């Protein structure tokens, strides 16, 4: 049975699934390829139609894996990809995107992100993104790992069409709540939270396990539900097997109570002041 799919409206008016699938470290082990493709396809069946990848992941191996997983289903997928900062010059961004399209075996990327800020001027990258939109190679663009000062610089550089900021955000990485998340909400720029389960490290936390037990859920579902309950925040957990993918999908139906939130706030206090944006 397909679970109901919630979505977030991007500044363009297009909808983006609130729960998707990450691919960091996927595609790097040939013996796991079949299971990883099955996991991605299971996610599509369950309405997790956002798939996030990057040219950096496995030097393109993750993109090739995604391309194989979406064969015959491209129209169902909201495809997100990322350009490395070292490639993010005007010409380099265009060339990198087209290499990614070739590895993916698709004719367009729905949302194309600058993976993190590098040395190339933001104006050049923005101009390249606009060129790619005009050519139909990408639908829209955004950024990743941009702190508040980076976001203000982006808008000053003409980046008003930024569709999202993909950041490290989970129960143990709450720094963005102090200033970055409020600023993004004010500007109606959604957040895409990567590593929402802290690469599995949240699964062994006692308080997360206690909340999960009260709901007959798993710690992973609690960690995801905590992220997804917030306005304009999507999550892209990675899964390499279909069972975990199904578990992740069910997190959309877990509704945390005020007592749950209070317990998690005690275990993982919100920030009391500004903190530098963390990255993995």
């Amino acid at each position: 049975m397909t679970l109901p799919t919630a979505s977030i409206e991007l500044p363009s008016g297009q909808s983006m699934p609130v729960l998707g699938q990450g691919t960091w470290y996927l595609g790097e082990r040939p013996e796991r390829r079949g299971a990883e493709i099955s996991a991605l396809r299971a996610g599509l069946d369950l309405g997790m139609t956002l798939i996030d990848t990057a040219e950096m992941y496995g030097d393109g191996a993750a993109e090739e894996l995604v391309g194989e997983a979406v064969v015959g289903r491209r129209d169902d997928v909201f495809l997100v990809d990322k350009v490395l900062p070292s490639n993010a010059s005007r010409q380099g961004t265009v060339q990198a995107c087209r290499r990614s399209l070739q590895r993916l075996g698709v004719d367009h990327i729905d949302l194309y992100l600058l993976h993190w800020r590098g040395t190339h001027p933001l104006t050049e990258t923005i101009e390249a993104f606009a060129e790619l939109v005009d050519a139909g190679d990408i639908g829209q663009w955004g950024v990743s790992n941009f702190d508040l000062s980076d976001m203000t610089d982006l808008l000053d550089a003409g980046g008003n069409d930024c569709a999202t900021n993909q950041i490290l955000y989970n129960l143990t990485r709450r720094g963005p709540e102090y200033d970055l998340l409020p600023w993004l909400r004010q500007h109606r720029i959604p957040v895409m939270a990567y590593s929402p389960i802290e690469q599995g490290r949240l699964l062994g936390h006692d308080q997360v396990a206690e909340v999960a037990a009260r709901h007959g859920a798993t710690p992973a579902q609690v960690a995801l539900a905590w992220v997804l309950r917030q306005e304009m925040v999507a999550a892209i957990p990675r899964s390499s097997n279909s069972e975990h993918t199904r578990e992740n999908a069910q997190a959309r139906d877990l509704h945390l109570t005020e007592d749950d939130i209070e317990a998690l706030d005690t275990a993982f206090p919100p920030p009391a002041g500004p903190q530098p944006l963390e990255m993995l």
Side-chain angles (χ1 to χ4, degrees):
M1 182 179 68
T2 300
L3 295 171
T5 305
S7 62
I8 293 174
E9 185 174 313
L10 298 173
S12 66
Q14 184 179 7
S15 293
M16 177 180 72
V18 74
L19 181 61
Q21 305 182 77
T23 62
W24 196 7
Y25 297 118
L26 299 190
E28 299 181 14
R29 296 173 58 182
E31 71 275 14
R32 298 186 62 107
R33 188 175 190 84
E36 291 171 352
I37 289 174
S38 294
L40 288 171
R41 290 175 175 168
L44 296 181
D45 292 339
L46 292 164
M48 297 167 65
T49 53
L50 186 166
I51 297 181
D52 174 84
T53 191
E55 63 171 342
M56 184 188 81
Y57 300 164
D59 290 327
E63 291 175 321
E64 293 173 353
L65 181 85
V66 170
E68 185 174 345
V70 304
V71 167
R73 304 191 63 171
R74 176 63 186 94
D75 291 345
D76 299 333
V77 179
F78 186 88
L79 185 57
V80 182
D81 208 330
K82 298 185 281 294
V83 59
L84 280 165
S86 56
N87 291 333
S89 65
R90 171 71 186 261
Q91 184 177 12
T93 300
V94 172
Q95 293 173 341
C97 180
R98 290 176 178 161
R99 289 193 299 269
S100 291
L101 288 169
Q102 186 173 16
R103 286 189 291 267
L104 288 160
V106 301
D107 62 4
H108 74 284
I109 293 164
D110 295 290
L111 180 56
Y112 196 46
L113 312 180
L114 174 59
H115 208 149
W116 63 89
R117 189 172 183 178
T119 57
H120 291 292
L122 291 173
T123 51
E124 288 193 23
T125 310
I126 293 167
E127 289 170 358
F129 285 155
E131 179 180 339
L132 290 165
V133 170
D134 289 343
D137 292 323
I138 66 174
Q140 50 200 313
W141 63 268
V143 294
S144 180
N145 297 300
F146 269 43
D147 210 340
L148 179 56
S149 62
D150 299 317
M151 290 303 304
T152 57
D153 287 348
L154 182 72
L155 293 197
D156 288 343
N160 295 302
D161 290 333
C162 178
T164 192
N165 185 10
Q166 184 181 122
I167 60 173
L168 175 62
Y169 180 55
N170 57 48
L171 275 166
T172 68
R173 313 275 191 164
R174 297 185 63 173
E177 293 177 13
Y178 187 80
D179 50 12
L180 180 59
L181 292 189
W183 187 94
L184 290 168
R185 290 192 181 105
Q186 179 185 352
H187 289 81
R188 304 305 298 171
I189 299 175
V191 167
M192 196 180 301
Y194 72 83
S195 296
I197 311 173
E198 186 61 15
Q199 297 185 323
R201 288 183 286 273
L202 277 166
L203 303 183
H205 194 280
D206 289 345
Q207 189 59 67
V208 178
E210 288 180 18
V211 172
R214 288 201 289 268
H215 291 273
T218 67
Q221 289 168 343
V222 169
L224 283 172
W226 181 86
V227 171
L228 295 176
R229 76 184 223 286
Q230 302 180 68
E231 180 189 4
M232 296 178 61
V233 178
I236 47 170
R238 182 191 70 234
S239 170
S240 58
N241 69 71
S242 299
E243 181 180 350
H244 287 161
T245 300
R246 284 190 287 271
E247 178 183 326
N248 290 341
Q250 291 166 354
R252 292 173 301 196
D253 294 334
L254 175 57
H255 300 288
L256 300 177
T257 67
E258 292 184 9
D259 288 343
D260 295 332
I261 300 303
E262 183 177 344
L264 293 171
D265 282 344
T266 300
F268 306 95
Q275 299 177 11
L277 183 66
E278 297 179 274
M279 291 177 56
L280 288 177

